[in-house]
C-alpha cells in the first residue's frame, strides 16, 4: 500500500516541508505507519510568518461582521464534514469515533462564539470625562499570532485558538503536532472553502525547529501553546524574552475528591469515564481519586474493579469499543515504567492492564492503584495514560490540602451531596477549573479554559472573552472637538472635577 505524504498549507497552497526530517504518522491501533510528512524547516515557518504579516494589512481592515460571515460558513462546513474529521482524528490518535466527534463539536462551539465577534469586540464609551472631553476604547488585533498544539485534541485545541484570533482581525500561523496533523490540515482547507482569504491562516507541521522560528521571529506578536509543562515553560520564557505575549497551557494531575456522603455508584461511573476515556490522554482526565474515609475508599474500589476489568478496549472502528490505544510505543513504554515504579514504591495494584500491551498496536488496559501516597512518582507525575491512583485520607481538610499542595492546578472535582462542603471547596481550592459532581469540568466556548500553578504560564486562559483579550490590544482614545476647547494652555491633567 502506498503511503500518502502530507503537505503544509501556506498562502492557501499545499507545499512540501524542507527540514529533511520525515515524520511517520501511525495508526496507534495497528502500530502501522499510515502517512508521512517532511517537517517544516525554520525557512518554511519564516515564510508562513511573512505571508501572514502581509495578509494582516488587509485582513485587519475587514469589518468584524464580514469576518463573522466566514465563521457562519465555516460552522456549516464543520457540521457537514464532522464524520470525515472524526475519522482522521481516530485514525491518527486512536480515540473512539464518538469521542472524536465530541471534540469536533466542542471545537465548533468556539467557531459559533466567533460568529458573534462584533458583540465581543464592542467597546466602552464615556461621555464628558471632563469639559467637552469623551473617552472610548478600541480592541484592535495584535498582528501575526501563532499556535503550537499537542497531539491529544487534533481538532478542539487548534479551534480554541485560530478562530478567535482570526475573528479578532489577526492572521495566524498554526503549528500542528507532528503525530496527528491530518485533521488540522483538513480544518485549514475548510477555512479556505468558507471564504477565508489566502495567507490569513497558514498551517505547518513540525518540531522544535519550526517552534523556535515562531519564538524568535519578531513579526510574531502573540503565541498560544498547549502541551506538556517542560515544553510550555520553555516556550513561555523564550517567547516572553522576545517580547511576545505568551499563554502556555500545560500538564496536569487532576484530583477528584469523593466525600462519604456522595452517591458512590454515580461517583464510580463518573471516575470510569473521566479516568479511562481517551485512554487517560486528556489534560482534564481524573488521575487521582481522593477517598475521604476508609469505608468510602473500600466501597469505591469494590465498585471500580469490575468496571475497569470489563472496559472494551480496541480500535475506533469497532462501535462497541470504549477505550482505544495510547498514542505511541514510547508513550506505552513510559506508562508501563510508571506502573512498575508504583509497585516498587509500595502502592497496591488492584487492576493490572499490562497484558493488553501484548496485542498489536499501542494498547494498555486500565490500571488501578490503591494506597497511593503523595511521595510516589505515580502520584507526583502526569502519566497521561489509563492509570488511576486512589489516595486515602481521613478528613475533607486533608483532601483539600493534598490538592492544593500539588504542583499542577488544571482541573479538579468534588463529589458530595453537602452544599457547605462544595462551596468551601470551590472557594478554597487552588485549581483553575472546578467541578461539583462533574468529573471533567471543561468550560464551554463562552467561558474560558485554563489552569493555575504549573498548569498555565502567562496568566491568560484560552477562548471566550479571555481569548478575545489575548488576541487584541486595547487602545483608549480621549477626544475633544473645537467647540469644547478652553482658551489658554493647561499645565495639569484635566479631570471631570475641574468643570
Ligand atoms: P508536547 O509538549 O510534547 O508537544 C506539544 C507541542 O510542542 C507539539 O506541537 C510539539 O511538536 C511541540 N514540541 C514538542 N517538544 C518540543 C520542544 N522541545 N521544543 C519546542 N516545541 C516542542 O505535548 P503532547 O505530548 O503533544 O501533549 C500532551 C501534553 O499536553 C500533556 O502534558 C497534556 O496535559 C498537555 N495538554 C494540556 C492541555 C491544557 O489545556 N492544559 C490540553 C491538552 C493537552
Amino acid at each position: 500500500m502506498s503511503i500518502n505524504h502530507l503537505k503544509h498549507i501556506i498562502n492557501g497552497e499545499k507545499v512540501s516541508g524542507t527540514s529533511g526530517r520525515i515524520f511517520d504518522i501511525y495508526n496507534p491501533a495497528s502500530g502501522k505507519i499510515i502517512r508521512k510528512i517532511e517537517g517544516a524547516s525554520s525557512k518554511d515557518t519564516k515564510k508562513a510568518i511573512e505571508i501572514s504579516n502581509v495578509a494582516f494589512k488587509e485582513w485587519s481592515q475587514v469589518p468584524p461582521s464580514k469576518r463573522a460571515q466566514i465563521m457562519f460558513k465555516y460552522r456549516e462546513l464543520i457540521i457537514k464534514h464532522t464524520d470525515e474529521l472524526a475519522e482522521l482524528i481516530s485514525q491518527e490518535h486512536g480515540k473512539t469515533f464518538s469521542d472524536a466527534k465530541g471534540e469536533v463539536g466542542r471545537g465548533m462551539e468556539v467557531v459559533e462564539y466567533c460568529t458573534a465577534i462584533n458583540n465581543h469586540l464592542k467597546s466602552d464609551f464615556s461621555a464628558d470625562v471632563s469639559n467637552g472631553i469623551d473617552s472610548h476604547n478600541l480592541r484592535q488585533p495584535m498582528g501575526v499570532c501563532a499556535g503550537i498544539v499537542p497531539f491529544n485534541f487534533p481538532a478542539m485545541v487548534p479551534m480554541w485558538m485560530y478562530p478567535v484570533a482570526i475573528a479578532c482581525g489577526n492572521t495566524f500561523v498554526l503549528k500542528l503536532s507532528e503525530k496527528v496533523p491530518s485533521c488540522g490540515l483538513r480544518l485549514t482547507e475548510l477555512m479556505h472553502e468558507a471564504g477565508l482569504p489566502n495567507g490569513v491562516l497558514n498551517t505547518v507541521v513540525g518540531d522544535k525547529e519550526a517552534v523556535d522560528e515562531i519564538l524568535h521571529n519578531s513579526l510574531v506578536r502573540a503565541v498560544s501553546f498547549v502541551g506538556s509543562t517542560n515544553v510550555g515553560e520553555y516556550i513561555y520564557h523564550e517567547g516572553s524574552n522576545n517580547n511576545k505575549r505568551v499563554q502556555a497551557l500545560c500538564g496536569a494531575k487532576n484530583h477528584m475528591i469523593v466525600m462519604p456522603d456522595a452517591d458512590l455508584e454515580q461517583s464510580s461511573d463518573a471516575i470510569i469515564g473521566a479516568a479511562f476515556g481517551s485512554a487517560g490522554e486528556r489534560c482534564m482526565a481524573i488521575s487521582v481519586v481522593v477517598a475521604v474515609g476508609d469505608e468510602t475508599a473500600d466501597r469505591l474500589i469494590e465498585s471500580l474493579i469490575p468496571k475497569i476489568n470489563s472496559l472494551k478496549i480496541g480500535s475506533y472502528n469497532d462501535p462497541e469499543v470504549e477505550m482505544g490505544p495510547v498514542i505511541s510505543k514510547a508513550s506505552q513504554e513510559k506508562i508501563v515504567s510508571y506502573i512498575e515504579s508504583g509497585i516498587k514504591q509500595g502502592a497496591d495494584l488492584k487492576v493490572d492492564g499490562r497484558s493488553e500491551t501484548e496485542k498489536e498496536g499501542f494498547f494498555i488496559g486500565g490500571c488501578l492503584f490503591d494506597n497511593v501516597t503523595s511521595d510516589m512518582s505515580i502520584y507526583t507525575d502526569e502519566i497521561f495514560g489509563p492509570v488511576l491512583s486512589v489516595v486515602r485520607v481521613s478528613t475533607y481538610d486533608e483532601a483539600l490540602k493534598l490538592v492544593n499542595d500539588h504542583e499542577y492546578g488544571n482541573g479538579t472535582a468534588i463529589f458530595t451531596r453537602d452544599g457547605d462542603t462544595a462551596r468551601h471547596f470551590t472557594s478554597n481550592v487552588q485549581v483553575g477549573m472546578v467541578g461539583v459532581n462533574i468529573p471533567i469540568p471543561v468550560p464551554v466556548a463562552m467561558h474560558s479554559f485554563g489552569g493555575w500553578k504549573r498548569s498555565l504560564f502567562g496568566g491568560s486562559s484560552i477562548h471566550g472573552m479571555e481569548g478575545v483579550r489575548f488576541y487584541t490590544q486595547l487602545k483608549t482614545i480621549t477626544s475633544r472637538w473645537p467647540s469644547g476647547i478652553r482658551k489658554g494652555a493647561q499645565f495639569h491633567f484635566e479631570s471631570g472635577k475641574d468643570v
Side-chain angles (χ1 to χ4, degrees):
M1 196 184 81
S2 74
I3 287 179
N4 184 12
H5 283 247
L6 301 175
K7 297 205 166 156
H8 314 266
I9 301 177
I10 299 176
N11 208 16
E13 283 172 17
K14 292 187 181 179
V15 295
S16 300
T18 63
S19 72
R21 285 186 304 287
I22 309 280
F23 297 113
D24 295 329
I25 300 149
Y26 289 85
N27 174 349
S30 65
K32 303 250 169 22
I33 297 169
I34 50 171
R35 296 179 186 105
K36 286 177 184 270
I37 185 163
E38 180 165 355
S41 61
S42 85
K43 200 168 136 229
D44 304 327
T45 312
K46 187 166 178 241
K47 186 171 173 209
I49 294 167
E50 286 170 354
I51 297 274
S52 304
N53 190 49
V54 171
F56 178 71
K57 287 182 189 62
E58 273 190 29
W59 181 247
S60 56
Q61 300 305 312
V62 172
S65 52
K66 201 160 173 209
R67 293 183 221 139
Q69 291 309 307
I70 294 175
M71 295 296 163
F72 277 109
K73 183 85 195 346
Y74 193 40
R75 176 185 177 276
E76 292 307 311
L77 288 171
I78 293 170
I79 292 170
K80 185 171 159 204
H81 293 275
T82 294
D83 283 5
E84 178 198 346
L85 293 164
E87 176 81 22
L88 291 172
I89 294 170
S90 295
Q91 278 173 6
E92 296 180 358
H93 176 284
K95 65 177 73 175
T96 63
F97 189 61
S98 63
D99 199 12
K101 278 175 81 164
E103 79 148 295
V104 173
R106 286 308 282 270
M108 191 189 67
E109 285 172 13
V110 179
V111 176
E112 287 172 353
Y113 179 83
C114 294
T115 59
I117 196 68
N118 261 324
N119 199 34
H120 311 315
L121 290 172
K122 224 167 43 185
S123 65
D124 296 326
F125 183 94
S126 301
D128 294 318
V129 293
S130 186
N131 195 10
I133 298 179
D134 303 327
S135 200
H136 71 279
N137 297 328
L138 297 180
R139 284 210 162 271
Q140 294 195 318
M142 300 284 295
V144 180
C145 300
I148 301 159
V149 294
F151 79 83
N152 67 322
F153 284 106
M156 183 181 79
V157 169
M159 282 198 274
W160 284 353
M161 302 174 180
Y162 67 85
V164 184
I166 287 172
C168 288
N170 300 283
T171 52
F172 205 84
V173 176
L174 174 63
K175 206 297 287 170
L176 295 172
S177 164
E178 63 280 28
K179 295 180 182 130
V180 291
S182 291
C183 180
L185 288 167
R186 187 72 186 112
L187 280 167
T188 305
E189 285 176 359
L190 292 178
M191 200 66 185
H192 289 105
E193 207 177 313
L196 191 74
N198 288 343
V200 175
L201 173 62
N202 297 290
T203 302
V204 296
V205 182
D207 56 8
K208 189 172 181 339
E209 183 179 339
V211 170
D212 282 344
E213 178 60 38
I214 289 170
L215 297 176
H216 297 130
N217 191 310
S218 61
L219 295 174
V220 177
R221 300 289 317 282
V223 177
S224 301
F225 168 84
V226 177
S228 62
T229 294
N230 287 346
V231 178
E233 204 170 8
Y234 164 75
I235 283 170
Y236 169 67
H237 289 297
E238 202 66 16
S240 304
N241 281 340
N242 287 301
N243 299 321
K244 298 176 198 320
R245 195 178 271 189
V246 184
Q247 57 179 179
L249 288 86
C250 296
K253 196 79 183 176
N254 306 309
H255 297 59
M256 171 168 152
I257 297 181
V258 183
M259 296 298 294
D261 68 345
D263 179 325
L264 289 190
E265 227 13 70
Q266 191 189 56
S267 307
S268 108
D269 282 342
I271 291 166
I272 293 291
F276 303 108
S278 206
E281 291 175 322
R282 289 178 179 145
C283 65
M284 291 289 277
I286 291 295
S287 49
V288 179
V289 167
V290 186
V292 178
D294 274 333
E295 195 191 332
T296 310
D298 291 341
R299 286 177 54 206
L300 258 186
I301 285 185
E302 195 188 329
S303 161
L304 287 170
I305 289 174
K307 290 178 189 168
I308 301 172
N309 276 324
S310 61
L311 279 172
K312 292 184 193 67
I313 299 168
S315 171
Y316 73 94
N317 40 23
D318 175 350
E320 299 283 293
V321 161
E322 294 166 320
M323 189 172 96
V326 295
I327 186 71
S328 63
K329 185 89 198 145
S331 169
Q332 186 194 48
E333 285 168 1
K334 184 180 124 190
I335 296 164
V336 168
S337 85
Y338 270 113
I339 297 165
E340 285 161 0
S341 74
I343 298 166
K344 251 188 236 141
Q345 289 171 2
D348 296 331
L349 185 60
K350 295 283 186 188
V351 181
D352 183 356
R354 285 176 293 176
S355 60
E356 290 287 327
T357 58
E358 286 154 23
K359 284 187 181 163
E360 76 165 5
F362 311 137
F363 288 98
I364 178 148
C367 297
L368 176 68
F369 277 108
D370 190 9
N371 291 310
V372 174
T373 54
S374 60
D375 53 340
M376 296 176 182
S377 60
I378 52 167
Y379 175 78
T380 54
D381 298 0
E382 181 184 48
I383 300 173
F384 224 55
V387 181
L388 179 66
S389 293
V390 175
V391 180
R392 293 170 176 245
V393 296
S394 309
T395 62
Y396 160 76
D397 287 343
E398 267 182 79
L400 178 64
K401 183 169 179 339
L402 198 65
V403 183
N404 286 347
D405 285 351
H406 203 285
E407 65 168 326
Y408 294 124
N410 212 39
T412 189
I414 189 164
F415 274 61
T416 181
R417 295 173 202 262
D418 184 78
D420 277 344
T421 311
R423 189 166 189 282
H424 186 275
F425 184 69
T426 54
S427 303
N428 293 286
V429 74
Q430 302 292 305
V431 171
M433 294 170 281
V434 186
V436 175
N437 299 316
I438 300 285
I440 307 195
V442 174
V444 292
M446 72 281 238
H447 289 270
S448 299
F449 184 109
W452 284 17
K453 300 188 278 186
R454 287 174 61 74
S455 294
L456 174 70
F457 298 91
S460 177
S461 293
I462 209 159
H463 70 64
M465 254 329 273
E466 293 299 303
V468 172
R469 287 189 193 102
F470 183 78
Y471 292 124
T472 53
Q473 46 198 348
L474 196 68
K475 188 180 275 177
T476 306
I477 294 151
T478 308
S479 54
R480 174 160 59 195
W481 295 97
S483 63
I485 294 177
R486 294 183 188 194
K487 296 214 166 31
Q490 302 291 314
F491 295 98
H492 61 281
F493 287 128
E494 291 184 49
S495 93
K497 297 185 194 71
D498 296 343
V499 181

